Amino acid sequence: QVQLRESGPEVVKPSETLSLTCTVSGASLSSSDYYWGWIRQPPGKPMEWIGSIGYSGSTYYNPSLRSRFRISVDTSSQRFSLKLASVTAADTAVYYCARQRGTAFPTIDFWGQGTLVTVSS
Amino acid sequence: QSALTQPPSASESPGQSVTISCTGTSSDVGGWNFVSWYQHQPGKAPKLMIYEIDKRPSGVPDRFSGSKSGNTASLTVSGLQAEDEGDYFCSSYAGRNNWVFGTGTKVTVL
């Protein structure tokens, strides 16, 4: 069974960089069959796609978001990460990692439980 | 890109059916056949219930079904059971590895 687990700080100060890691089990980050993505949900708002990364390191980001996000992957440790620079209160959200299956017929099929990150001084 | 529009809530008695709509645009729901539905219960990871408009993953009861017409997709839960309570949201592929999500619907079994 594929499992994803987010980890990182619960509180980040304004203007600092948020760093989150997603640890994957039950599937290989080295497979060309998947992309690995990040999604967030601010309080009271819908889910928002941040971006994804493939096994080779190719990245795709939501064009509607400012380019403060960086996604990276470490296939040897079965982890991929999200960095968000210069955070503000608007970045307070539950952050989820997820797997996108396929490229010709894409589906987001597995998610982590999410981790709440609060931006506060 | 804007979120897909869903009704905030839906409720029905056990054994009845409930249908949730998900309305987007020709750039997402109307333009692609990659619409999914997820069940999201408190403290749990979202669970894929329907993918590619009307396909069910292994293990999902056939009480769950999906459809699409134009820019609107729908999820129907037939024979509603207490365990079906929770939040449901849709997602649609929007091209170039980009996704858009629904506003979410809280389903209550009366």
Side-chain angles (χ1 to χ4, degrees), chain B residues 9-98:
Chain B
S9 63
S11 58
E12 197 45 88
S13 302
Q16 299 302 304
S17 296
V18 65
T19 297
I20 304 166
S21 61
C22 167
T23 301
T25 69
S26 59
S27 297
D28 37 66
V29 175
W32 302 89
N33 288 329
F34 305 121
V35 176
S36 298
W37 288 92
Y38 302 89
Q39 180 189 67
H40 193 189
Q41 295 175 326
K44 296 184 177 181
K47 177 184 177 183
L48 179 66
M49 306 301 285
I50 295 288
Y51 68 100
E52 291 180 31
I53 298 175
D54 59 5
K55 297 179 181 177
R56 278 188 312 276
S58 174
V60 173
D62 60 6
R63 303 184 290 104
F64 291 84
S65 62
S67 62
K68 189 185 94 165
S69 177
N71 296 338
T72 298
S74 298
L75 171 73
T76 297
V77 185
S78 306
L80 207 55
Q81 299 181 5
E83 66 200 48
D84 299 331
E85 273 203 349
D87 293 326
Y88 290 81
F89 65 92
C90 57
S91 76
S92 174
Y93 189 64
R96 295 181 59 83
N97 268 22
N98 196 27

Side-chain angles (χ1 to χ4, degrees), chain A residues 35 39 41 46-49 51-52 60-64 96 100-113, chain B residues 1 3-4 34 36 38 40 43-48 50-52 55 89 91 93 96-104:
Chain A
Y35 281 86
I39 299 127
Q41 184 172 30
M47 299 274 191
E48 179 177 50
W49 179 254
S52 61
Y60 299 85
Y61 296 99
N62 185 336
S64 299
Y96 297 89
Q100 174 186 313
R101 178 185 73 204
T103 52
F105 301 95
T107 294
I108 303 171
D109 58 354
F110 288 98
W111 298 62
Q113 286 188 312
Chain B
Q1 58 194 27
L4 308 176
F34 305 121
S36 298
Y38 302 89
H40 193 189
K44 296 184 177 181
K47 177 184 177 183
L48 179 66
I50 295 288
Y51 68 100
E52 291 180 31
K55 297 179 181 177
F89 65 92
S91 76
Y93 189 64
R96 295 181 59 83
N97 268 22
N98 196 27
W99 296 85
V100 62
F101 297 96
T103 51

